[in-house]
């Protein structure tokens, strides 16, 4: 009886281990788009959404060559979702722009997700002429007023050093969200329009929108440019209340703000609180703060 119970436990243990292995294998297959692709082929699936999702999953799995191959062998004519998935698979590269031109040649117009991805690519490539033409097309199709592509467009104009264009884009958004506000604040701060950036932040809060990591760091950057100590302290308190002070982007901006305001001890305190995650921006800001005070030893 004892031996039988022992053997039973061993068998049960093997069965549990086998079940775990099967579950792991099933999970890995569900995560691998190639397994999904094979299933779609063998099952003769005709659902357009399944094939479009496969292109997206290939791009997110760093298998963009598979995405192109699948796109070229779709069992139906590609629609705007298919093209957008292909364009997004090659974001931040010239291929993304070429796929977009091919889409237009096939008489397929973009949607808001298409232009959002393309605006991001134009910013990465500093493709000014293409960006301006794309903005013109988005205006004609009433796409640039949607918050999703609008925030990408705001970031694009920030990168291109066109803060007035960014402000104009923002003013044309019927219902901006806090992402759009944040993008405008960062755009203005990056282009040395510090007072305007602070004003937009106040407007955002006055309209009841929640602060984000980017809006707080943008205002701190503006405060650093003005060496405005009180504004740094107020934004620091605001970040603490919201739990954003531990974010490395906000932390780096605080170090920069306190350093340029001449309060190196406060900058060092924030720096040490975020030391484990501090990025190169924070390190440079800390060193600049000491250098500004003539302390070349610390």
């Amino acid at each position: 009886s004892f031996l039988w119970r022992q053997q039973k436990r061993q068998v049960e243990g093997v069965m549990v281990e086998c079940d775990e292995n099967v579950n792991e294998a099933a999970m890995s297959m569900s995560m691998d788009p190639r397994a999904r692709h094979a299933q779609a082929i063998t099952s003769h699936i005709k659902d357009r959404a399944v094939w479009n999702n496969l292109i997206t999953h290939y791009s997110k799995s760093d298998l963009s060559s598979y995405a192109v191959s699948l796109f070229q062998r779709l069992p139906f004519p590609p629609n705007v979702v298919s093209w957008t998935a292909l364009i997004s698979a090659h974001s931040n590269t010239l291929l993304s722009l070429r796929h977009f031109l091919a889409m237009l040649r096939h008489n397929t117009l973009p949607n808001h997700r298409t232009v959002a991805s393309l605006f991001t690519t134009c910013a990465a490539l500093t493709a000014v002429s293409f960006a301006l033409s794309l903005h013109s097309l988005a205006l004609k199709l009433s796409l640039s007023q949607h918050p999703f592509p609008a925030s990408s467009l705001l970031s694009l104009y920030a990168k291109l050093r066109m803060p007035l264009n960014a402000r104009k884009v923002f003013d044309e958004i019927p219902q901006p969200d806090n992402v759009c506000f944040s993008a405008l604040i960062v755009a203005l701060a990056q282009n040395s329009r510090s007072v305007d950036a602070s004003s937009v932040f106040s407007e955002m809060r006055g309209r009841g929108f929640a602060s984000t990591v980017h809006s707080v760091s943008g205002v701190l950057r503006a405060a650093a440019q003005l060496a405005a100590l009180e504004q740094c302290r107020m934004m620091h308190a605001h970040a603490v209340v919201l739990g954003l002070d531990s974010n490395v982007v906000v932390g780096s901006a605080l170090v920069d703000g306190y350093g340029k305001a001449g309060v190196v001890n406060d900058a060092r305190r924030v720096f040490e609180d975020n030391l484990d995650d501090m990025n190169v921006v924070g390190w440079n800001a800390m060193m600049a703060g000491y250098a500004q005070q003539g302390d070349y030893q610390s």
Side-chain angles (χ1 to χ4, degrees), residues 71-85:
F71 180 86
Q72 293 172 343
R73 292 172 175 78
L74 286 175
F76 50 81
N79 63 0
V80 63
V81 179
S82 313
W83 281 104
T84 300

Side-chain angles (χ1 to χ4, degrees), residues 187-247:
L188 294 171
Q190 285 180 346
N191 289 277
S192 302
R193 301 185 71 88
S194 308
V195 175
D196 292 338
S198 300
S199 176
V200 172
F201 180 80
S202 298
E203 179 186 351
M204 181 188 77
R205 297 294 297 160
R207 292 173 63 172
F209 289 103
S211 299
T212 66
V213 167
H214 298 293
S215 63
V216 171
S217 62
V219 174
L220 285 168
R221 179 169 182 163
Q225 292 168 356
L226 298 171
L229 177 58
E230 288 305 313
Q231 189 173 9
C232 281
R233 292 198 189 282
M234 286 190 295
M235 291 307 303
H236 190 178
H238 182 63
V240 170
V241 170
L242 296 176
L244 299 177
D245 57 310
S246 59
N247 181 275

Side-chain angles (χ1 to χ4, degrees), residues 33-34 36-37 40 47-90 99:
R34 288 169 293 190
R36 296 178 182 177
H37 190 179
D47 188 351
R48 183 187 295 267
V50 172
W51 295 96
N52 288 338
N53 285 334
L54 270 172
I55 299 174
T56 301
H57 290 155
Y58 272 133
S59 65
K60 291 181 178 179
S61 303
D62 296 325
L63 296 168
S64 57
S65 60
Y66 286 84
V68 175
S69 178
L70 173 57
F71 180 86
Q72 293 172 343
R73 292 172 175 78
L74 286 175
F76 50 81
N79 63 0
V80 63
V81 179
S82 313
W83 281 104
T84 300
L86 182 65
I87 289 167
S88 299
H90 297 89
H99 290 320

Side-chain angles (χ1 to χ4, degrees), residues 75-235:
F76 50 81
N79 63 0
V80 63
V81 179
S82 313
W83 281 104
T84 300
L86 182 65
I87 289 167
S88 299
H90 297 89
S91 60
N92 300 341
T93 70
L94 281 173
L95 276 176
S96 177
L97 306 185
R98 290 174 181 170
H99 290 320
F100 174 65
L101 295 177
M103 182 184 80
L104 295 180
R105 285 196 292 269
H106 282 78
N107 295 321
T108 305
L109 293 176
N111 61 20
H112 64 281
R113 293 189 178 276
T114 318
V115 295
S117 177
L118 290 165
F119 284 141
T120 302
T121 296
C122 289
L125 301 177
T126 320
V128 181
S129 297
F130 197 101
L132 295 176
S133 298
L134 180 62
H135 186 185
S136 177
L137 177 62
L139 282 171
K140 293 177 181 178
L141 299 176
S142 300
L143 295 175
S144 60
Q145 296 178 351
H146 189 286
F148 184 54
S151 58
S152 297
L153 183 56
L154 289 166
S155 299
L156 167 65
Y157 280 129
K159 176 74 180 295
L160 299 180
R161 301 293 181 186
M162 297 178 175
L164 296 180
N165 293 57
R167 179 76 225 204
K168 186 177 180 181
V169 168
F170 180 85
D171 290 338
E172 292 172 350
I173 304 172
Q175 296 180 322
D177 55 15
N178 60 349
V179 177
C180 295
F181 270 105
S182 299
L184 179 60
I185 290 166
V186 171
L188 294 171
Q190 285 180 346
N191 289 277
S192 302
R193 301 185 71 88
S194 308
V195 175
D196 292 338
S198 300
S199 176
V200 172
F201 180 80
S202 298
E203 179 186 351
M204 181 188 77
R205 297 294 297 160
R207 292 173 63 172
F209 289 103
S211 299
T212 66
V213 167
H214 298 293
S215 63
V216 171
S217 62
V219 174
L220 285 168
R221 179 169 182 163
Q225 292 168 356
L226 298 171
L229 177 58
E230 288 305 313
Q231 189 173 9
C232 281
R233 292 198 189 282
M234 286 190 295
M235 291 307 303

